[in-house]
Amino acid sequence: MTTSDEKTNPEDRGPSQKHRVSYSHGVLLTGIGSGVSVVFLFLETMVAVRFIDPTSYGIYALLIAVVGFLVVLADVGCKSAVTRLIASKDRDQQAALANSIVIFRLLMVTVVSVVIWLGRDLLLLFDSTGDLLRYASYIPMMLAVTSLDELFFGMLRGFHAHRSIAVAAIIRSVLRLGITVVFLVVFDL
């Protein structure tokens, strides 16, 4: 028979107890990262509203929406699949899978970017003034960065790297706010 003092040692915990603590710790860390991201996204929105006129803000919001839609198209289920596949493989297979999925994602982003570039005149359907067309050259770059960001977060989830996920979410949020300030205030875009 064991006493309760013996059960307090983390090494003596059963597999379900270890899993529960690990899961709770992961949820806490990713929750903190997500919370900080929401705060910085709110600050980014305040900066955008402050420094651009209503018409330009509409174009900004439409550009973000178009890129979000294209990320879903370029993803083709990779983000969810890579999380599950990486979590279920051994170390050697994880590295090979991670490399393969990054190459596949880069090819998908390239294909979608070429299609967008060739069909950029279709953007006139969304905005007849041509202002959105002026920003069409940014779409492939934004697509690549956003798409790879989503993929890398999925990969980190597969590796159960919760601390890295939280740190990466915070760094991403700070960088995104900084880039928004630079583009809107310094370059007056």
Side-chain angles (χ1 to χ4, degrees), residues 4 9-10 27 39 48 61 64 68 77 81 83 87 92 105 108 118-119 125 143 149 156 171 175 180 185 189:
S4 63
N9 184 357
V27 167
V39 169
I64 298 296
T83 301
D92 293 334
R105 177 58 65 94
M108 286 302 298
L118 293 174
L125 294 174
L143 172 63
D149 177 59
L156 286 172
I171 290 171
L175 286 175
T180 299
V185 176
L189 291 179

Side-chain angles (χ1 to χ4, degrees), residues 60-77 105 108-109 112-113 115-116 122-123 126 139 142-144 146-147 150:
Y60 169 78
L62 185 58
L63 189 65
I64 298 296
V66 166
V67 169
F69 175 73
L70 293 174
V71 166
V72 171
L73 283 178
D75 181 49
V76 295
R105 177 58 65 94
M108 286 302 298
V109 167
V112 171
S113 295
V115 169
I116 288 299
L122 293 176
L123 292 175
F126 295 109
I139 292 175
M142 291 173 66
L143 172 63
T146 305
S147 180
E150 291 289 324

Side-chain angles (χ1 to χ4, degrees), residues 91-141:
R91 277 291 200 211
D92 293 334
Q93 291 175 329
Q94 286 176 335
L97 179 64
N99 291 334
S100 298
I101 201 73
V102 168
I103 290 169
F104 178 75
R105 177 58 65 94
L106 288 173
L107 288 173
M108 286 302 298
V109 167
T110 301
V111 167
V112 171
S113 295
V114 167
V115 169
I116 288 299
W117 187 252
L118 293 174
R120 66 185 176 276
D121 292 335
L122 293 176
L123 292 175
L124 292 173
L125 294 174
F126 295 109
D127 176 32
S128 60
T129 65
D131 288 339
L132 186 59
L133 185 60
R134 187 176 77 188
Y135 296 108
S137 61
Y138 295 110
I139 292 175
M141 179 185 63

